[in-house]
Amino acid sequence: MKFRLLISALVIMPVFALAQNKTIGSGATIAPARQMTQMDSLMVKQLFYSAMEAKVTENYSQAAEMFNRVLQTEPSNDAALYQLAELKVNKQDYTSAQGLLENAVAINPNNKWYWLALTECYEKTNNALKLEGAFKQLIRIDADDTDYRMDYARVFYYEKKYDDALNVYDQIIKMNGGLDDNVLAARQKIYLKQGKIDQAAAEAQQMIDANPTEIRYYLLLAELYNSNNFEDKALKVLQTAEKIDHENPQLHLALADVYREQKKYEDCYNQIELAFQSPNLDIDPEIKIISGYIPKFPDANAKASALELSKTITVAHPDEYKAWAMYGDMLAQNEKYADAEISYRKSITVDAQHYEVYDQLVRIEISNNEYDAAIKDGETALSYFPNQGWMNYLVGIAYSQQKKYDKAISYIKTATLLANDDKDLLSLSYSSLGDCYHELKDNKNSDDAYDKALSYNPDNAFSLNNYAYYLSLRGEQLDKAAQMSAHSNELQPNTASFEDTYAWILFKQKKYADAKIWIEKAILHDKTNSAVQTEHYGDIMFYLGDTDAAVASWKKAKANGVQSPILERKINERKYVE
């Protein structure tokens, strides 16, 4: 429950009142105050104002001490009780505040602010019965305030005293001279709890009859029918409303809901599309509807529908970055990456303050080998969001692809510092550092980086493959290289480049028969007709004693593009050359 609470917004000045022995509905009893001297009264006033000054300057402990001193001299000072209760509420000590406030209303039962403060305490301590009594007192004090009655009725609702709540709402209807939206909605909830669908529908129809051009009442009645499995009645109500305002986007969404329940999916989609064409429909519910299609991917119809709807919202909301970002997402889901890139770029043109759009844009640019664009957009993103580890990594990758390894290392090292506990980012970053250091012939740092990459993810197949291959090129730690390469092939079987690496390591270990098996797998699974693999096949065949097959493979490698003095010597000398 949440009711109107004004305690924290008010500062109550003292109302000094002496009380005789009093008992009120809360059950609190206040003893008669002792006789105050003029000196006592003056001291109390000075203490109170000093306490208020301390409270206003947020010196709460001093304020509490002085309010307590006021009460020691004048226990019946209701204003001090109230102010001390406020300090307790600030500390979320609602039980203590409740006791103080009950004493305050016992002294001054006609102060509505005290009762309002008590409603908060009773709500927080889940004391429904006393909450009921507090609102009853507020209604007594201010009988014309219908808000108190609304809160009173809500207490009855949460206590499941539905008839009592309806009686209070009847009072409000009489006071307001008729049914309004808030009372209507509240009564609808009660009728539905009571299973009185017809009565709920009758009141909604009453509002339609009184306001025949107000579409919201048609929507309310249609939702009532649709949620209770009366789809035909809901459809009839909405079709009537459609004749009044056929461009209302909420009306089209409501029709879509009904058609969905009736499994008329084409009609449902058509109504959603009509709703999306309206600039009067907020973009957030549109985004939510499109996102609802994503779990249905990779179904082609779901993808196509989401794509078309996302395109529609860019027309209805051309100045909303979310519209272009969502369209970019759906284009990417449909593998239309060039168009997705354009859409993401429009999104950041509309509003450059959203990191996730830059992230998608830069990833697409890298996948399209647009490294200059990726660097430019990535560095722009980092000017707004410098602490994004992934963006530092992506910019580093773009620089590494341009063979600018020093720049790449700088960005990727920053990524490792910002990664925190993101093991995926750490593994990828250290693996990329291993690649960069290898290209710079810094073998020690390269090996250290790969070891770190694998410490964060022992199953990083690309790290395993690259590290193993670089060790084999140097002829170092071949047993370790073989283990890593074998594991990479277990993780991603039928990957030609991984199989070629394993074959090469086995060749370096002089395990030629095994090497032949793996190079043949690589050639079988390769889609690029790799000349390097063909050359490796020739090397293996030479050591297996089939020189003719070796020379034939070397010649084929040359024909497929390998140009090197070593390959020429292999062919001319008909033997393997390092």
Side-chain angles (χ1 to χ4, degrees):
M1 292 181 289
K2 189 64 183 171
F3 304 101
R4 297 184 312 154
L5 301 172
L6 305 179
I7 183 170
S8 60
L10 298 163
V11 175
I12 305 298
M13 298 309 294
V15 178
F16 298 103
L18 298 178
Q20 299 300 316
N21 202 23
K22 294 183 181 179
T23 301
I24 63 163
S26 66
T29 302
I30 297 298
R34 71 177 179 82
Q35 186 65 39
M36 295 270 290
T37 66
Q38 186 175 3
M39 183 74 70
D40 289 337
S41 296
L42 181 60
M43 183 186 71
V44 164
K45 287 182 180 180
Q46 288 175 340
L47 271 173
F48 189 93
Y49 282 111
S50 295
M52 289 299 298
E53 184 177 355
K55 184 183 174 190
V56 169
T57 57
E58 299 183 2
N59 190 344
Y60 298 126
S61 59
Q62 185 181 3
E65 179 187 352
M66 287 189 285
F67 284 131
N68 275 312
R69 287 172 60 190
V70 169
L71 292 169
Q72 287 170 6
T73 305
E74 187 182 17
S76 60
N77 191 310
D78 56 294
L81 288 164
Y82 173 75
Q83 294 298 336
L84 195 55
E86 270 202 324
L87 295 175
K88 298 292 185 183
V89 167
N90 288 342
K91 292 183 176 181
Q92 299 184 349
D93 183 358
Y94 297 104
T95 301
S96 297
Q98 179 178 313
L100 291 164
L101 290 165
E102 285 177 342
N103 285 339
V105 296
I107 297 164
N108 186 356
N110 294 322
N111 188 313
K112 69 178 181 179
W113 309 117
Y114 298 176
W115 288 108
L116 276 169
L118 266 173
T119 64
E120 180 178 15
C121 293
Y122 292 149
E123 181 188 347
K124 296 294 185 181
T125 57
N126 296 313
N127 195 327
L129 188 61
K130 285 193 172 184
L131 186 58
E132 225 182 274
F135 280 118
K136 192 172 182 179
Q137 291 294 327
L138 284 165
I139 292 168
R140 175 186 62 80
I141 294 167
D142 194 349
D144 294 331
D145 191 326
T146 57
D147 286 338
Y148 296 145
R149 294 177 193 269
M150 289 291 292
D151 290 339
Y152 191 32
R154 277 193 282 271
V155 175
F156 284 134
Y157 175 80
Y158 286 111
E159 289 186 286
K160 299 183 180 179
K161 298 178 180 178
Y162 299 130
D163 289 336
D164 290 334
L166 288 171
N167 288 335
V168 177
Y169 287 129
D170 285 339
Q171 295 170 19
I172 296 170
I173 291 170
K174 289 179 182 177
M175 292 172 69
N176 289 341
L179 194 61
D180 65 20
D181 288 5
N182 290 331
V183 175
L184 174 65
R187 287 167 71 91
Q188 293 280 304
K189 288 170 65 177
I190 293 174
Y191 288 139
L192 291 176
K193 288 286 186 182
Q194 294 177 321
K196 297 177 180 177
I197 308 300
D198 290 342
Q199 201 157 347
E203 284 205 350
Q205 186 62 55
Q206 179 184 334
M207 295 301 286
I208 291 173
D209 294 341
N211 307 275
T213 61
E214 288 290 348
I215 298 300
R216 66 181 185 275
Y217 298 123
Y218 294 90
L219 292 171
L220 176 65
L221 181 56
E223 170 59 22
L224 176 67
Y225 282 138
N226 194 39
S227 61
N228 286 279
N229 301 317
F230 296 110
E231 292 90 358
D232 291 341
K233 288 185 176 182
L235 185 59
K236 185 177 180 181
V237 171
L238 293 171
Q239 287 173 339
T240 300
E242 195 175 19
K243 295 174 183 176
I244 299 167
D245 184 2
H246 67 277
E247 294 183 353
N248 188 302
Q250 297 296 339
L251 187 57
H252 291 301
L253 290 180
L255 281 164
D257 287 340
V258 174
Y259 287 132
R260 187 181 298 108
E261 291 296 324
Q262 294 180 329
K263 297 183 170 27
K264 297 178 180 178
Y265 298 118
E266 185 175 350
D267 290 335
C268 172
Y269 176 81
N270 290 337
Q271 290 297 326
I272 292 173
E273 193 170 39
L274 287 171
F276 276 36
Q277 290 171 2
S278 172
N280 297 322
L281 183 63
D282 289 341
I283 193 169
D284 287 336
E286 294 177 324
I287 297 290
K288 185 176 180 180
I289 289 169
I290 294 172
S291 298
Y293 282 91
I294 294 175
K296 300 174 185 176
F297 293 173
D299 178 75
N301 290 331
K303 277 189 173 184
S305 296
L307 179 60
E308 190 60 33
L309 290 173
S310 62
K311 181 179 181 181
T312 301
I313 63 173
T314 64
V315 177
H317 305 281
D319 297 325
E320 279 277 4
Y321 92 92
K322 292 179 185 178
W324 294 105
M326 176 55 81
Y327 188 34
D329 287 346
M330 294 304 102
L331 285 164
Q333 288 289 335
N334 283 270
E335 299 181 4
K336 298 183 178 183
Y337 298 113
D339 291 335
E341 183 179 337
I342 293 169
S343 190
Y344 287 133
R345 194 170 297 287
K346 285 185 178 179
S347 180
I348 61 174
T349 300
V350 171
D351 187 346
Q353 298 295 324
H354 299 279
Y355 171 76
E356 65 279 4
V357 184
Y358 283 103
D359 185 88
Q360 291 291 87
L361 175 60
V362 173
R363 288 174 188 271
I364 286 178
E365 289 168 339
I366 289 174
S367 68
N368 289 340
N369 302 325
E370 299 170 1
Y371 302 121
D372 286 335
I375 290 168
K376 180 180 178 182
D377 290 325
E379 290 182 338
T380 298
L382 289 171
S383 70
Y384 292 112
F385 312 101
N387 295 324
Q388 289 291 339
W390 277 101
M391 188 56 70
N392 277 279
Y393 169 75
L394 292 171
V395 173
I397 291 298
Y399 272 120
S400 72
Q401 293 300 310
Q402 292 186 328
K403 303 186 184 305
K404 298 176 181 178
Y405 298 115
D406 288 334
K407 292 280 285 185
I409 288 169
S410 176
Y411 277 101
I412 297 171
K413 276 187 172 181
T414 301
T416 66
L417 297 175
L418 296 172
N420 297 321
D421 295 327
D422 189 338
K423 291 186 177 182
D424 287 339
L425 177 55
L426 285 165
S427 182
L428 289 170
S429 295
Y430 280 113
S431 182
S432 298
L433 285 172
D435 293 341
C436 292
Y437 284 126
H438 168 78
E439 295 297 336
L440 294 173
K441 304 188 185 313
D442 185 346
N443 295 334
K444 182 181 184 308
N445 277 325
S446 177
D447 291 354
D448 288 346
Y450 279 123
D451 284 331
K452 283 186 178 180
L454 293 172
S455 73
Y456 288 110
N457 181 7
D459 294 331
N460 185 328
F462 288 95
S463 295
L464 290 164
N465 176 75
N466 291 3
Y467 192 10
Y469 182 63
Y470 294 149
L471 286 175
S472 70
L473 288 178
R474 293 170 4 221
E476 297 176 2
Q477 304 182 66
L478 291 177
D479 288 343
K480 179 179 179 179
Q483 289 175 356
M484 290 191 295
S485 182
H487 188 36
S488 72
N489 280 285
E490 291 169 355
L491 293 167
Q492 292 194 21
N494 304 327
T495 303
S497 60
F498 291 4
E499 291 165 336
D500 179 38
T501 295
Y502 194 33
W504 176 249
I505 295 168
L506 292 167
F507 174 80
K508 297 286 281 187
Q509 291 180 311
K510 300 182 180 181
K511 298 177 180 179
Y512 303 120
D514 290 337
K516 180 175 181 289
I517 293 170
W518 282 93
I519 196 64
E520 286 175 346
K521 287 183 179 183
I523 292 170
L524 175 66
H525 296 133
D526 181 61
K527 306 299 181 186
T528 63
N529 196 24
S530 169
V532 173
Q533 290 173 9
T534 304
E535 183 180 356
H536 285 175
Y537 186 76
D539 298 342
I540 294 167
M541 294 307 295
F542 176 80
Y543 277 101
L544 285 173
D546 191 342
T547 303
D548 290 340
V551 172
S553 290
W554 291 333
K555 287 181 178 180
K556 184 177 179 182
K558 178 180 178 181
N560 287 340
V562 176
Q563 300 292 329
S564 75
I566 290 176
L567 180 60
E568 290 290 343
R569 286 185 60 193
K570 289 178 182 178
I571 295 169
N572 295 332
E573 298 176 20
R574 293 178 59 81
K575 69 178 182 180
Y576 177 76
V577 179
E578 287 282 358

